[in-house]
Amino acid sequence: MSQRPGPEERDRLVLEYQQLARVAAEYQRRIDLLNAALDDVLQAKAAVDELKLLEDGEEILVPLGANVMVRASYRKTGKLLVSVGGGVMLERDFEGVREYLERREKTLRELVQRLSNEYQRVISRMSEIERRLGAT
């Protein structure tokens, strides 16, 4: 059975715990943001697959944001626009867009996994500190 830490060590452990709690909250926030971006990519992949099935001139609903939609007539050109940042858009065929989205999905999944591992490491250390502070 381990002993309770002395006052100095207790203060150090409490401070470390508080810092780790802030780090864990930030990791959780980042994981949530990455998961939201991942959901966006998955929705875009599904939408691209649906667009491939449409005929020229078919009517579609286009979201404008804040749950507002507009009816539009789809012009089948075989090309989509992809934003690559900085206001730059590139025209790609369906397969090119699909490949781009799959690469983006893979990158996001890897980032989520890496942050999740770090988050678990922090939570594990916090548990160790809790046990140490609660030792009798």
Side-chain angles (χ1 to χ4, degrees):
M1 214 177 257
S2 60
Q3 311 174 16
R4 291 195 115 154
E8 260 183 45
E9 184 182 1
R10 179 176 169 70
D11 289 346
R12 184 189 60 75
L13 288 172
V14 167
L15 180 61
E16 181 182 358
Y17 187 89
Q18 291 169 340
Q19 290 171 335
L20 289 171
R22 285 189 292 276
V23 169
E26 179 62 19
Y27 280 154
Q28 187 60 58
R29 186 187 70 77
R30 289 181 184 179
I31 290 167
D32 291 344
L33 288 172
L34 288 170
N35 280 325
L38 185 56
D39 286 345
D40 247 9
V41 167
L42 296 175
Q43 288 176 7
K45 282 174 61 176
V48 167
D49 290 343
E50 288 295 318
L51 279 176
K52 283 173 70 172
L53 303 175
L54 291 178
E55 296 297 323
D56 194 47
E58 277 192 66
E59 190 175 272
I60 60 173
L61 293 175
V62 178
L64 299 178
N67 295 318
V68 176
M69 306 281 235
V70 65
R71 292 182 193 279
S73 181
Y74 176 65
R75 192 171 125 223
K76 191 165 193 155
T77 63
K79 301 283 185 185
L80 299 170
L81 296 174
V82 177
S83 174
V84 292
V88 176
M89 304 286 278
L90 297 178
E91 193 173 61
R92 296 283 186 244
D93 63 12
F94 285 100
E95 194 54 41
V97 171
R98 186 120 175 94
E99 289 171 4
Y100 164 79
L101 290 171
E102 286 173 0
R103 283 191 310 272
R104 184 84 176 116
E105 178 185 2
K106 180 181 181 220
T107 299
L108 288 168
R109 287 188 188 282
E110 288 170 354
L111 287 170
V112 167
Q113 185 61 51
R114 200 171 336 149
L115 278 177
S116 294
N117 290 344
E118 285 298 312
Y119 176 79
Q120 288 304 317
R121 186 185 58 77
V122 168
I123 295 299
S124 176
R125 176 62 182 146
M126 288 172 71
S127 293
E128 288 174 30
I129 292 172
E130 287 173 357
R131 282 191 298 277
R132 183 74 178 112
L133 290 173
T136 55

